[in-house]
Amino acid sequence: MEAPLSHGKGAVPQPPILHLGSLFASLKLLERRRRRAASRTAACAAPPVLPTATQPALVARLWHLLDDWLLGPCRRRLGALALSPVARGVALVCAAGALLRWYARRRRQQQPPGATGRRVCVVGGGIAGAGAAWSLRRSGFDVTLYEQKPALGGNAKSHGWQVPLKAGASAGASSSAGGDGVAAPAATTREVRTGLSVLAWPGELFHTYNALLAHLGIETVEHVLRFFVGRRRATGCGDSSGGSSGDGSSGAVECVFAHDRESHTDEAQLAARQPWLAADLARWRRLAAFVRRVNGFFAPAPLRRAAATSGPGGGAAAVAVAVRGKSCYRNSLLNPLNVVPLRALARWGFGVSDRFWGEVFVPVHTSTFLEAHMDDLPAVLAELLEDIVPLAEPGAPPVMRTWAAGNADAVFEALAAGLQGAGGGEGKLRLGCEVEAVRLEECGGGGGGGAVLPSGSAAASTRSRTVAVVEDDEGRTERFDHVVFACGAPAALRALKRFSSDTASSGGWLALPRALAQQCWHWLATATLRNVRYVESRDALFSSGEAHSDSAAALPPQFEGELLQRFCNYVEVQGGDGDGGGALAYENTFIVSSWSPPALAPDVAGQRPMLVSYGCKERLRNTPAALFERNVTGREAHPCLTTTNLALSTAVWPRLQGLHGGALYFAGSSVTPGNGHDLSLLSGLVVAAAVGAPFPFVENEAALSDFHALQGMMGLG
Ligand SMILES: Cc1cc2nc3c(=O)[nH]c(=O)nc-3n(C[C@H](O)[C@H](O)[C@H](O)COP(=O)(O)OP(=O)(O)OC[C@H]3O[C@@H](n4cnc5c(N)ncnc54)[C@H](O)[C@@H]3O)c2cc1C
């Protein structure tokens, strides 16, 4: 081991501030060795031309100057901090991250300007991938979109329900005369196609998604979505027998919380019936106002700057709109509420009871988070949650937007329109085609890597560039200038498992540092992908559900009619002892037929309940086949909002984007700090912009401001 350096200051310990101390030590050591070698050479050869004796003295003086003048004061001020291994670790990670970002930016800047001929592969046909592909294609890129399922949409699935027609209603074309002139029998049912998983969005917050739909000419409508939480005293999923009294006695279901229901909006009535709830709602109101104030104080500057400098309508008015307007992206890393658990703040800061948490907050937000584990949600989210599904004011139910057609099929059709081959052939849209492996190759510049790029590809014409080789499940390989992973983290991990790079072999020993950097990147990327956690890993509630029409089994009889008419979600709380103790279990039934626009058409309205139930398997085990539609699985679909996922999305993902000369990017729900259609779409557009496609909605102040904010968060600004 090296002896600690002493440089005229006695035995004072040397705190390694950013390891500069050891750097200088190494320099001195090198210089000493060089001197020794030089003197050996001098003994047996001609004397050197330059008087080298002055050089060590120069180095030593430089070292003393730097050490005393620069590091000395730092050490005195930061002594304790600098010594702490945590601080050293953080400094090291920050320095490495900054270096990686600088390197990534430098390599990205070496990309050939313009889109012509540049080939992009997008993996995943959810909203992130389809959005990125659309944006890149309209900017002139040559895009190929791979989707492993037979249809685009990802989580935005749709389903066609056969609904009996009302007496006297006709099913249009189906009841007209047949081709042979014989009148076809009048149809008695009609297909009603609704969304199945992604159903609606908060219109006030999803600026980019709204802008996209307006641009594509897709009609949307507003709907009031009321939530209903019922409490069943007796445990057991199969127990639906005693649910007729409504008085909260054993086996019965009582209404705990309901939006826009007289018993919950009339304060006097609420205080008389459920005094604990009235008191907790007042406390929750105070908490929400507090979080709003703190978040407002820490609102990040990019929102203001972006609005101030953007678009033809920029200026002071735009600033006010962007800052005051609601946004999913209005967060600052400096906000202390990022690290305060919401539950702790509610309980210890505002006295909100455990009962409110377990019987109101968690059940209502099972639909938001698709899980019931919410203890580690950061308090910073309370503002956003109140904007999406307000609890503080039960009389003001959430107002959401949805597609007038009831499903997102038309959106994906429009996004992929230019990718289809002539006559609906495969073209650049690879449906039912899974990307199995991605690896890198060095091409051009006489490197001899052997990569053959399609003629016209930008990479083929440049000096030396990294290209990505994509292999699909049929063993076909294609080379691209860029790959955008817009699939879940596990799929990206599988594709990168066989990652290899022939950079070193193609560029000789000079390419070794780059090959080393690529391997480091690969190690960090796979470690990150492996650590993205999905809701099913800790809560199986939403990992599989059933689409059905068995309302008698899924809904409590005394509220069935009311629920089917007015509410969008029925969440049942079971187990526990009623005042927050014991484990609670939840069932969640989405009542699609009560509000989805096509289900409200006059010829079918109220004719058939359309329900999607989660956690109700037992209860639905005797459902007749005629009432059962299909299973709905949501595996690897919803990353949970854990501290790890948030830390990955804000601190690690930005360092991994666009490395290898912009060859590999990541978009979609696994890289965004939250999960929603707007976040995924915007992440796709941010990546598309990094590749070279301008943001398509620059004239929309709110969307542009969100874009800049997410760009910063994703490290692609
Ligand atoms: C049950 C449920 C309900 C939801 N409800 C809402 C809602 O109401 N509103 C809302 O805003 N958000 C909702 N979300 C959130 C929703 O997940 C996001 O809004 C968004 O759909 C995520 O889009 P994405 O493109 O990031 O990912 P996904 O939609 O998951 O798309 C990823 C795609 O990649 C494909 N893929 C995976 N691996 C490969 C491979 N190797 N090769 C090729 N393709 C591959 C998958 O098949 C999939 O189509 C819901 C999510 C779930 C699970």
Side-chain angles (χ1 to χ4, degrees):
M1 234 176 94
E2 291 280 343
L5 268 181
S6 156
H7 36 81
K9 290 274 179 189
V12 181
Q14 304 301 315
I17 297 176
L18 293 181
H19 295 272
L20 276 178
S22 32
L23 181 70
F24 283 116
S26 319
L27 273 178
K28 283 185 84 176
L29 195 74
L30 276 175
E31 182 54 27
R32 224 179 293 142
R33 282 192 188 145
R34 201 195 59 75
R35 259 167 56 200
R36 243 181 275 138
S39 59
R40 267 202 305 273
T41 321
C44 59
V49 182
L50 287 170
T52 50
T54 55
Q55 287 175 14
L58 209 79
V59 171
R61 179 166 297 173
L62 215 89
W63 157 244
H64 277 296
L65 277 176
L66 276 169
D67 185 58
D68 289 345
W69 295 357
L70 201 68
L71 295 186
C74 286
R75 239 185 259 135
R76 277 192 292 280
R77 275 183 206 138
L78 299 172
L81 185 69
L83 272 174
S84 120
V86 176
R88 266 151 54 195
V90 169
L92 213 68
V93 168
C94 289
L99 207 69
L100 271 175
R101 278 177 82 167
W102 168 81
Y103 177 67
R105 196 168 302 142
R106 206 176 138 264
R107 294 275 289 160
R108 278 208 304 275
Q109 281 162 1
Q110 291 168 359
Q111 287 169 10
T116 325
R118 270 159 77 189
R119 306 192 77 225
V120 188
C121 161
V122 178
V123 187
I127 190 66
W134 169 78
S135 173
L136 287 160
R137 212 198 130 269
R138 70 198 289 273
S139 301
F141 288 86
D142 179 2
V143 184
T144 306
L145 176 57
Y146 289 81
E147 166 53 52
Q148 67 173 4
K149 295 193 186 126
L152 292 178
N155 292 329
K157 302 180 184 97
S158 65
H159 179 70
W161 310 73
Q162 285 302 323
V163 182
L165 289 165
K166 279 185 175 164
S170 85
S174 56
S175 60
S176 63
D180 54 3
V182 182
T188 53
T189 61
R190 179 165 78 77
E191 186 189 84
V192 172
R193 187 158 277 275
T194 68
L196 210 55
S197 37
V198 179
L199 294 168
W201 62 93
E204 275 190 310
L205 289 161
F206 281 20
H207 307 128
T208 309
Y209 193 60
N210 290 339
L212 174 73
L213 297 191
H215 179 90
L216 298 177
I218 288 171
E219 201 190 332
T220 62
V221 286
E222 248 179 16
H223 263 282
V224 172
L225 298 185
R226 302 177 188 87
F227 287 67
F228 187 110
V229 182
R231 179 77 167 92
R232 190 180 289 273
R233 292 290 159 195
T235 52
C237 277
D239 177 18
S240 58
S241 52
S244 57
S245 69
D247 60 2
S249 60
S250 181
V253 173
E254 65 174 323
C255 171
V256 179
F257 175 90
H259 278 122
D260 198 19
R261 194 170 188 250
E262 205 191 333
S263 57
H264 286 80
T265 50
D266 182 321
E267 282 191 27
Q269 220 189 98
L270 183 64
R273 286 188 68 237
Q274 289 169 278
W276 68 272
L277 182 60
D280 275 329
L281 281 175
R283 292 177 193 127
W284 191 260
R285 228 167 275 143
R286 284 201 294 278
L287 176 141
F290 169 77
V291 172
R292 227 176 261 283
R293 271 201 305 278
V294 176
N295 288 359
F297 179 79
F298 285 98
L303 280 174
R304 299 180 191 124
R305 272 206 313 274
T309 55
S310 62
V319 176
V321 170
V323 174
R324 269 194 274 113
K326 294 176 179 176
S327 168
C328 296
Y329 309 88
R330 192 183 175 188
N331 190 23
S332 157
L333 279 181
L334 298 177
N335 190 338
L337 296 182
N338 285 322
V339 290
V340 176
L342 179 57
R343 183 167 195 185
L345 183 70
R347 185 197 275 168
W348 307 117
F350 290 86
V352 174
S353 73
D354 285 350
R355 185 172 184 180
F356 181 86
W357 184 265
E359 294 188 15
V360 178
F361 179 83
V362 171
V364 165
H365 284 296
T366 51
S367 311
T368 317
F369 296 108
L370 302 181
E371 64 170 332
H373 275 247
M374 295 181 201
D375 284 3
D376 50 3
L377 281 180
V380 70
L381 285 180
E383 176 181 7
L384 199 58
L385 295 179
E386 279 300 298
D387 286 341
I388 298 173
V389 185
L391 294 180
E393 306 294 343
V399 180
M400 301 266 193
R401 287 208 88 78
T402 190
W403 316 275
N407 64 74
D409 293 356
V411 183
F412 288 94
E413 244 166 63
L415 291 177
L419 298 172
Q420 238 125 15
E426 184 183 64
K428 302 280 177 179
L429 180 60
R430 308 276 159 84
L431 292 178
C433 188
E434 183 178 349
V435 167
E436 290 223 318
V438 173
R439 59 176 202 278
L440 298 180
E441 274 184 11
E442 202 64 17
C443 79
V452 182
L453 281 160
S455 59
S457 165
S461 62
T462 53
R463 281 179 299 142
S464 170
R465 280 183 51 78
T466 309
V467 294
V469 185
V470 172
E471 185 181 329
D472 67 23
D473 52 358
E474 287 169 14
R476 289 181 295 187
T477 56
E478 269 191 69
R479 288 174 173 77
F480 294 92
D481 298 287
H482 311 274
V483 172
V484 177
F485 286 103
C487 48
L493 182 63
R494 282 191 293 274
L496 287 172
K497 267 234 167 90
R498 284 163 49 199
F499 176 91
S500 68
S501 153
D502 75 345
T503 305
S505 61
S506 64
W509 66 272
L510 275 175
L512 267 176
R514 195 189 296 170
L516 199 69
Q518 286 178 358
Q519 284 310 319
C520 287
W521 175 91
H522 179 240
W523 175 82
L524 190 60
T526 48
T528 307
L529 289 165
R530 208 170 283 125
N531 278 293
V532 174
R533 286 189 75 191
Y534 285 82
V535 287
E536 66 268 17
S537 68
R538 59 179 193 175
D539 188 345
L541 177 60
F542 282 91
S543 57
S544 101
E546 289 81 31
H548 65 98
S549 295
D550 195 355
S551 57
L555 307 175
Q558 76 270 33
F559 301 121
E560 188 183 339
E562 188 185 357
L563 286 167
L564 287 177
Q565 264 208 318
R566 297 190 68 228
F567 289 89
C568 75
N569 260 82
Y570 169 66
V571 192
E572 189 168 299
V573 187
Q574 301 160 351
D577 60 13
D579 52 9
L584 296 173
Y586 302 93
E587 293 179 357
N588 193 330
T589 294
F590 291 74
I591 307 166
V592 182
S593 47
S594 71
W595 65 274
S596 184
L600 299 181
D603 58 341
V604 289
Q607 289 295 91
R608 181 178 181 188
M610 300 173 202
L611 310 171
V612 186
S613 294
Y614 293 92
C616 281
K617 222 176 203 64
E618 266 303 295
R619 201 189 278 281
L620 296 172
R621 69 175 183 272
N622 296 324
T623 295
L627 297 181
F628 181 80
E629 287 289 315
R630 57 175 278 188
N631 285 105
V632 187
T633 50
R635 293 194 66 77
E636 298 180 357
H638 217 279
C640 31
L641 261 180
T642 56
T643 321
T644 315
N645 279 0
L646 283 174
L648 289 178
S649 64
T650 48
V652 185
W653 279 116
R655 272 84 188 145
L656 296 172
Q657 297 278 10
L659 286 189
H660 318 310
L664 303 180
Y665 288 91
F666 298 88
S669 56
S670 47
V671 302
T672 54
N675 194 0
H677 238 44
D678 196 76
L679 284 111
S680 278
L681 167 68
L682 195 53
S683 71
L685 298 182
V686 164
V687 163
V691 171
F695 182 60
F697 312 118
V698 279
E699 73 294 341
N700 183 322
E701 285 294 341
L704 186 67
S705 149
D706 285 355
F707 171 75
H708 286 304
L710 191 62
Q711 232 187 358
M713 282 185 216
M714 290 176 70
L716 291 170

